[in-house]
Amino acid sequence: PPLSLESAKSRIADHLFFEDDSIIDVVLATALTYNHECGPLWLIIVGPPSSGKTEILRSLRQYKDTVFIESITGRTLFTGMKNAMGILERNKQDYLLMINKDFGSIMAKPSAERGVILQQLRGVFDGEYIDETGGGKGVIEWKNRLNFLSASTQDIESVNSQQALADLGER
């Protein structure tokens, strides 16, 4: 059953301490608006290791239309393979909430692989991803709306990460 914001904060406070609990408001707003007609909301929580980022994200994993993934590779969202499907190819809901526990793992990948992932994420954010594959599948065409939640340590604020994220453009 639905919880009030105060009840949700109280349950989280039983396990985690936040000096400023407004992060809970922001995460819940991102999660709860996945099926609204507004534009997609994407949020990366940035904080030090062991500060509760992942636990807040894990608290949402059992909800309807939610996909929780540990990491993303160039074949996680879309495979391009004839007999395999990526997460977004399998999940055909009109709206979806994707939770990735560590965006820093994407940023730590070699630039070519990271570029493929960021290109896919750019299309997903825009609500449409179309790609011609070489793995026998032909054309992958995905049109949908997706809210995205992730977490990262402050490493995402490095110069190299900022340059790579600039490729996403104004998103």
Side-chain angles (χ1 to χ4, degrees):
L3 292 175
S4 70
L5 178 58
E6 289 312 312
S7 294
K9 285 184 172 186
S10 176
R11 284 191 183 184
I12 291 171
D14 288 344
H15 304 283
L16 300 169
F17 171 76
F18 292 103
E19 206 168 296
D20 176 3
D21 66 1
S22 61
I23 188 63
I24 298 167
D25 299 324
V26 175
V27 168
L28 289 176
T30 303
L32 294 173
T33 60
Y34 79 94
N35 63 353
H36 290 271
E37 292 299 323
C38 63
L41 294 175
W42 287 34
L43 175 70
I44 300 174
I45 305 167
V46 179
S50 300
S51 62
K53 302 177 303 291
T54 302
E55 291 309 313
I56 289 176
L57 296 179
R58 280 188 183 139
S59 71
L60 301 169
R61 71 192 293 172
Q62 78 276 6
Y63 289 99
K64 181 182 176 226
D65 301 328
T66 299
V67 175
F68 187 92
I69 53 177
E70 295 286 326
S71 64
I72 299 175
T73 69
R75 298 208 184 259
T76 301
L77 305 178
F78 308 100
T79 66
M81 305 305 291
K82 188 174 186 174
N83 297 319
M85 296 177 90
I87 287 173
L88 295 182
E89 293 171 288
R90 288 192 309 264
N91 287 278
K92 300 291 186 185
Q93 301 93 317
D94 290 335
Y95 305 101
L96 190 66
L97 172 65
M98 182 182 296
I99 301 173
N100 164 247
K101 84 174 204 181
D102 183 13
F103 200 82
S105 67
I106 296 169
M107 301 312 295
K109 293 187 183 303
S111 63
E113 185 177 0
R114 182 181 61 229
V116 167
I117 297 166
L118 293 178
Q119 180 232 357
Q120 290 177 354
L121 289 174
R122 186 172 35 254
V124 168
F125 180 89
D126 292 341
E128 181 176 70
Y129 180 81
I130 300 171
D131 194 16
E132 180 72 35
T133 71
K137 188 173 274 186
V139 174
I140 295 172
E141 187 168 349
W142 179 88
K143 292 181 182 181
N144 210 328
R145 188 175 170 290
L146 175 99
N147 277 13
F148 181 80
L149 280 165
S150 191
S152 179
T153 63
Q154 296 97 325
D155 292 345
I156 198 169
E157 296 173 348
S158 73
V159 171
N160 289 342
S161 290
Q162 290 300 306
Q163 288 171 341
L165 288 172
D167 290 342
L168 287 175
E170 293 292 324
R171 291 176 171 77

